[in-house]
Every structure is written in C-alpha cells, then in structure tokens.
Amino acid sequence: MRLAEAWRVALDALRANRLRSALTMLGVIIGVGAVVVLVAIGTGAKNEVEAQVEGLGSNLMLVVPGRLEFGSAPSASRLSLRDADAVAEVVGDPRRVTATVASGETVRAGGRERFTTVQGVLATTPEVFDRPVGRGRYFTESDVRTGRRVAVLGATVARALFPDRDPIGQQVTVAGVRFRVSGLFAPLGQSLGVDRDDEIHIPISAAQRLLGVDRVDGLAIKAPDREHIDDLRARVVAELSQRHPDTEFSAVTQEQILGVLGDILGVLTGVLAAIAGISLLVGGVGVSNIMLVSVRERTREIGLRKAVGARPRDIGLQFLLEAVLLTTVGGVLGMGLGVGSSLLVGALSPVPASITWWSLALAFGVSAAVGIVFGVAPAQRAGRLDPVVALRSE
Amino acid sequence: MTGPAVEAERVARTYRLEGFSVRALREVSLTVERGDYVAIVGPSGSGKSTLMHLLGGLDRPTSGRLRLDGRDVAGLSPAELARLRNEVIGFVFQAFHLLPRTSAVENVALPLVYRGLGARKRRAAAAEMLERVGLGHRLTHRPNQMSGGEQQRVAIARALVTGPSVLLADEPTGNLDSATGESVLHLLETLNAESGVAVVLVTHDRDVAARARRQIAMRDGRVASDSAQTDQEPSGGTP
C-alpha cells in the first residue's frame, strides 16, 4: 500500500469518530501547549534577568562583606568610606568605584508620600552603573564631601510625589530631613515585576548621617576591561582582607551573576518542561488506549483487508499513521495553544514569556514520537491478527 | 498459467485449544480445475469452513501439500500469503463485509490498493467491474444506501476486480431472500462462464449446491463424496 493511501485511510478513520479523535487529541494539545508555555515563561524570565544584570553596566563587579551564597544571612558590614578610597587606589581610578548604603524610608513632598528605597551613594554612581540622569543633574563629589542634602529621584517616585509639577528644585523630606531635588533618572521600567524606578539617590555622607551609621553596605567597581577583571577582583579582595583580617569578602562579577542566575533559571525551565512533558506522556497513554479500542472495533475490517491482500505491515502502518496523525495534529494545535497562551501571559501579566523555536520543535517532535511509541503496540496487534479469527469477530 | 487452480494433497488442519488437539480437517485431497464450478456442502462442524479458509490462503495446513494457482503455500510468510490471496483469490462472504462509510467503487477498488495501483487506475477498474455486475449506476452509493442484493453484487465485483483464478463464496445467499439469492447465483454463474474464474461455493442449501457442476460433501473433516469422482473411491476413505 502506498503511503499516501495509508494517510488517507487513517484520516478517514479519525473523521469517522470526530468527538473521540478530538478528545484524544486534547490530551496531546494540552501537553504540547504546556511545554511551549512553560518553556516560554522560563526562557523569558532568564532573558529578563540577564538583561537586567547586563543593564547594570558592563564590566561591573560588586563587593560585599561576608560570603555571597544562597541561604547565608548577610553579615554586618565593617566596610567604610576609607575602604572605598583604598579600593579606588587598587583600581587606579576613583571614577570607577562607588559605595552604597541603602535603606527603606518614607519620602514626603507637599501632602504626598511614598515608601521607597533610599540609596546613599558616591557621585561616581551614574558612570559605574551606566545610568545617566534624565533631567537636571546628579550630585557632585563636593556635594558628597560636604554631605549636601540633594536627591535624584527615580521616575516612579517623581510621579508619585509630583504628579502635576516639575520636581527639580523642589523640596522633599526623607525620614523627616529636607532634601532638594537636583535631578531625575530616566525611566527604566519593570523587570520580573520589580519597579526599577522606585528609588532615590542621595550623597552617601548625607545618608550615613540620616541613618546614624558610618558603614558602607557594599562597593561597586567598573573594571577597565574584561580580560583583567578576575585579576582585579583578586587584588580588591586581597586589599580588603588585609584591612579587615577577621572578615571575609565576596566580589562577584557580572559574568558570575549571569552564570549563576542562568544556571538556576535553566534548571527551573528544565523542571517546568519536564512537568509539562509528563502531561504529554499522559496524553500519549490516552492515544494508545483509544488505538486499542479502535483495533478491537475494526477487527472485521482488518480481517477483510487481510483477505483481499493487506500484509501485516500494511495494517500496522495504517494504525500507526492513525496514532501519529492524532498526536501530530494535536501537536500542531498544541503549539498554537502554547504560542497563544505565551503571548497572552506576556501581555497580561508581569511574567515575561519568550517563545523559543527549539521548544516548538521539541514539543512537536516529542508529540510525533509519542504517536509512534504509543501507536506501535496497537498497530502490531492489528497487523498480527489472524484473518480467519478477525473475519469471524462480531 | 496452466495446471489446476487449486491442488490439495492429503491436507490436514489441526487446532490446538487449551491442550486439546482438534482435527478440523483430516487428509483431504482435492483438485479444482480452472473455470470449474464447485459446491462444498456439509453440516456445521464438518470442516467445510476450515477447508474454505485453506483454499483461500487465509490459513495454512498443518500437514499435506496445498497449491494455489500452482504455488505451494507451505513456507510462505504472512506477507507472501497476503500477496498470493490478492493475486489469486476472490472472497465473497455471507455478511458481505463491505467497508461502511465507503462508496461502492472504493469498496471494489480496495484489493487494488494493496496491489499498489494508482487511484485513477483503481477507480477505472472498479467502475468497469461494477458495470459488469449491473451496478454501473451505483458507483458512489454507500453500503447503507443499497439493498442486500446490491451489497452482495458489490462484494462480488470486489472479489473479481483483481482477476483471480478462484472465487470463494461462503454462503453468498445466506443473508438474502430467495429471489435476490437467485439473481446473485445467476450472476456468479454468468461470471464463471464469461471470465473462466473457478467458483467454489460453500453452502448448506441443497438447491444452491445442486446448481453447481460438481458437489463435494464434507463430513467429520473428510470428503464424504465428490460428484466428480463418483466412479472412484472417495478420497479420505469414509466408511
């Protein structure tokens, strides 16, 4: 029997039981759709996190006291601004180093208020993090030295406190202390549901006085080039360890962060795909089940076909194609469902979804394979039926 | 091709059922010449169905030699046997066995599908065959849109579309009223005379059997009598 003929026969058989075919397909549709959607969400999350880390600026290195591990509590910082100066010596360029002390505080202006992240930082911050000011100006080195009370607002804070006037030159109070707004950041938008515009920057000296501390939470360094970044990291850690012999320091580069996050999200994506794969497997069992029913129902037809000259493999091929047709048509519809759902999730929720061609190819390939794997047993059973017995069956 | 259409030498068929051996057919020798018209009669359990399955190549003998159109069925794989059936045998069943939801012309063309013929050639051959059985006006009708007599004519067309040497008809009139049955038998006889296909008819109806040129009576897995050998000792040696 020609292959085209076998396809036609398989299609006719599926058409004869439309509802049953559709319900059997549904299992595959949901399985394939789930694979596509979950992989899209996993990939989207990974892309977004990576974009965010890369958006921090190139060749960036973060230094914090304590060990940077998941699950370990942050240790109390013994870093100070003098350490920042020492690290700037090591790097050889003070413009490439910034320090930060952060706290959640309520910021007020007029009758309005907003609880936001207050970052006390050095004047070099816009350069180190590649984050230029949108309007107005950032504070200067002398502002930091004198502890001047000036603030640069993120777009969300600016909108919340000054919905109808220009914030530049206006007064805001941070934890009850007055600051003058000198500039506004350009909006960065959201990533993974976190608003990156919900913060204000003030000189670190002013922040330390405001919080009553002289510590620094962490340092950030923009390395001059990528090749020597590991060497630089070692020298920075060595310098800090020498200054604070009883404290451990961690310095991570952007690449390391990307690597770790990429690994975690890769595993997450894999787990999601595996869970969805299970539903695809269940769909395959459904296909196998319905094919066995179909073989039993059509035993007499099989007997007749054999009597007029169908070989075992002709019959086997017919039923195998029927199973493969069920799963591949289901697979294509499932891809449609998956792509549609991914677009919907991406549009309607903060969860990013990025459809990848390999997840589509994988889902389709797996669904076709499921049809073959789960169709083989019923097809073999059909092919091996004794024509005499088959013709006699009711 | 010369030689007889079917040649059976001391053919036996034993079934094994849960440890028991059932000897359905005991050493039957039988020759069906080309163009012959043979009726096989006998009570149920006499082995006539088993003989029919063997003659049709649906089953293989446990012992003895069976040649269909000169080809020995021993040692043929299921696939080779299927090919032999396709080329040499045409079946007509009591219950018609037409595919539902499938037009008359496609039902008739079915054996040609397994011969690997293209759709257009199949359709042309099937339509011509339906014309010959008097159903040229019913090509696109489905089985459920046709009478029993018409369905059996479609089945006969399907059996003959491949140009077989033997047409095996198992109680072809069993599901039909006598008038319709008569016309179906008449059709079989006409085709037998015109095309030279050997017709082997299995029936328990004495009147149907009496129309054949030769009658073979089966009993207890043996040939009890054969009208072609009345002057000889019956094969199998019944008492």
Side-chain angles (χ1 to χ4, degrees):
Chain A
M1 182 160 55
R2 295 179 181 187
L3 202 60
E5 200 64 37
W7 278 115
R8 202 182 55 77
V9 172
L11 200 62
D12 281 350
L14 294 184
R15 280 210 199 106
N17 287 297
R18 279 169 209 273
L19 182 62
R20 192 167 83 185
S21 305
L23 288 175
T24 309
M25 251 182 230
L26 196 58
V28 179
I29 292 171
I30 290 170
V32 170
V35 168
V36 173
V37 170
L38 292 179
V39 169
I41 288 173
T43 310
K46 189 172 164 174
N47 289 350
E48 186 150 336
V49 167
E50 285 177 354
Q52 191 176 8
V53 173
E54 270 166 5
L56 291 175
S58 53
N59 299 345
L60 191 71
M61 187 198 308
L62 301 174
V63 185
V64 290
R67 212 178 273 193
L68 198 71
E69 274 179 358
F70 285 93
S72 67
S75 50
S77 176
R78 290 168 190 243
L79 286 174
S80 70
L81 281 174
R82 284 187 302 281
D83 294 312
D85 292 337
V87 166
E89 287 277 312
V90 172
V91 175
D93 183 353
R95 284 172 306 173
R96 294 187 169 277
V97 178
T98 185
T100 173
V101 59
S103 177
E105 301 291 343
T106 302
V107 181
R108 291 190 176 83
R112 304 173 197 276
E113 61 175 60
R114 171 123 192 139
F115 186 83
T116 188
T117 306
V118 176
Q119 301 269 12
V121 289
L122 293 176
T124 51
T125 301
E127 263 181 79
V128 173
F129 285 98
D130 284 343
R131 191 180 179 190
V133 169
R135 250 166 20 83
R137 62 170 192 88
Y138 207 68
F139 39 82
T140 62
E141 213 186 312
S142 78
D143 289 339
V144 173
R145 215 182 307 119
T146 58
R148 218 172 140 212
R149 298 200 297 272
V150 289
V152 178
L153 307 188
T156 301
V157 179
R159 214 179 310 115
L161 298 182
F162 303 99
D164 42 17
R165 43 192 180 127
D166 186 358
I168 291 175
Q170 303 289 337
Q171 300 273 346
V172 294
T173 60
V174 180
V177 178
R178 280 189 194 174
F179 284 73
R180 196 175 55 79
V181 177
S182 70
L184 301 174
F185 283 118
L188 288 176
Q190 290 201 342
S191 56
L192 294 174
V194 176
D195 184 356
R196 298 175 65 197
D197 298 317
D198 194 2
E199 63 174 12
I200 75 169
H201 286 198
I202 60 175
I204 191 165
S205 44
Q208 285 175 331
R209 202 182 315 150
L210 191 71
L211 301 172
V213 298
D214 61 359
R215 71 176 154 85
V216 165
D217 288 339
L219 305 174
I221 300 156
K222 185 183 176 71
D225 55 65
R226 193 168 284 248
E227 294 86 73
H228 302 105
I229 200 162
D230 284 328
D231 174 50
L232 182 63
R233 184 168 62 116
R235 286 193 286 129
V236 167
V237 170
E239 172 70 19
L240 289 173
S241 298
Q242 197 190 327
R243 293 173 64 88
H244 302 276
D246 52 346
T247 308
E248 235 180 311
F249 290 93
S250 302
V252 289
T253 61
Q254 200 174 356
E255 274 180 358
Q256 285 175 307
I257 299 172
L258 277 179
V260 170
L261 287 173
D263 287 352
I264 293 169
L265 289 167
V267 169
L268 181 76
T269 305
V271 168
L272 289 177
I275 292 170
I278 290 171
S279 69
L280 195 52
L281 204 69
V282 173
V285 172
V287 170
S288 199
N289 193 19
I290 221 66
M291 289 314 298
L292 287 172
V293 170
S294 180
V295 169
R296 172 154 298 188
E297 269 180 2
R298 285 151 64 197
T299 301
R300 261 164 54 137
E301 177 191 327
I302 294 166
L304 182 271
R305 285 181 183 273
K306 287 198 156 189
V308 302
R311 294 166 296 172
R313 52 166 294 205
D314 292 325
I315 299 294
L317 186 69
Q318 177 189 331
F319 281 90
L320 188 60
L321 286 183
E322 206 173 309
V324 170
L325 205 60
L326 269 176
T327 60
T328 48
V329 171
V332 169
L333 294 177
M335 280 159 66
L337 179 76
V339 169
S341 307
S342 300
L343 294 176
L344 216 61
V345 164
L348 300 183
S349 76
V351 180
S354 168
I355 298 153
T356 53
W357 68 266
W358 67 262
S359 75
L360 291 177
L362 181 80
F364 183 78
V366 168
S367 65
V370 160
I372 292 171
V373 169
F374 288 93
V376 157
Q380 278 186 342
R381 172 176 288 205
R384 287 181 188 153
L385 274 176
D386 181 345
V388 172
V389 175
L391 278 167
R392 266 202 215 116
S393 83
E394 278 312 306
Chain B
M1 184 78 67
T2 52
V6 176
E7 228 180 340
E9 277 175 60
R10 301 166 67 84
V11 163
R13 181 70 172 95
T14 306
Y15 294 103
R16 294 198 173 278
L17 292 171
E18 294 162 14
F20 291 93
S21 288
V22 179
R23 297 169 71 185
L25 215 58
R26 310 169 183 227
E27 305 217 336
V28 169
S29 296
L30 177 70
T31 302
V32 177
E33 299 295 339
R34 290 174 189 281
D36 209 349
Y37 180 16
V38 186
I40 298 176
V41 293
S44 57
S46 62
K48 63 182 195 298
S49 288
T50 303
L51 180 61
M52 162 103 179
H53 294 142
L54 288 175
L55 298 186
L58 290 170
D59 196 5
R60 277 181 301 185
T62 319
S63 68
R65 193 150 77 160
L66 176 62
R67 285 209 187 99
L68 301 180
D69 203 48
R71 277 179 272 183
D72 197 330
V73 302
L76 290 188
S77 69
E80 289 164 335
L81 210 53
R83 189 190 166 96
L84 184 63
R85 286 196 295 271
N86 182 264
E87 289 173 352
V88 176
I89 310 291
F91 288 98
V92 174
F93 303 97
Q94 180 175 1
F96 320 139
H97 280 318
L98 298 178
L99 297 183
R101 302 182 305 273
T102 306
S103 68
V105 70
E106 281 181 80
N107 262 296
V108 173
L110 186 65
L112 300 177
V113 168
Y114 296 108
R115 194 169 274 198
L117 228 59
R120 196 175 301 170
K121 283 184 179 173
R122 292 201 304 261
R123 199 185 159 82
E128 193 190 322
M129 204 59 228
L130 278 169
E131 192 74 48
R132 280 182 67 186
V133 299
L135 289 176
H137 59 298
R138 292 288 205 202
L139 297 186
T140 57
H141 284 60
R142 294 175 180 202
N144 59 6
Q145 298 168 319
M146 290 185 282
S147 70
E150 285 175 324
Q151 289 186 54
Q152 196 60 300
R153 282 165 185 267
V154 172
I156 291 169
R158 179 181 63 194
L160 293 178
V161 76
T162 56
S165 310
V166 186
L167 186 146
L168 287 171
D170 187 3
E171 300 281 9
T173 58
N175 281 14
L176 304 174
D177 62 61
S178 55
T180 315
E182 161 61 32
S183 75
V184 164
L185 284 175
H186 183 71
L187 174 65
L188 282 176
E189 285 156 12
T190 308
L191 292 167
N192 170 247
E194 281 176 1
S195 68
V197 63
V199 173
V200 176
L201 203 115
V202 173
T203 181
H204 61 262
D205 187 329
R206 291 272 160 197
D207 294 338
V208 170
R211 298 171 62 138
R213 273 197 292 281
R214 175 182 170 195
Q215 289 91 28
I216 296 171
M218 299 289 296
R219 192 177 304 140
D220 300 329
R222 291 192 173 92
V223 174
S225 70
D226 185 342
S227 64
Q229 303 174 335
T230 42
D231 48 346
Q232 299 166 21
E233 175 113 345
S235 67
T238 46

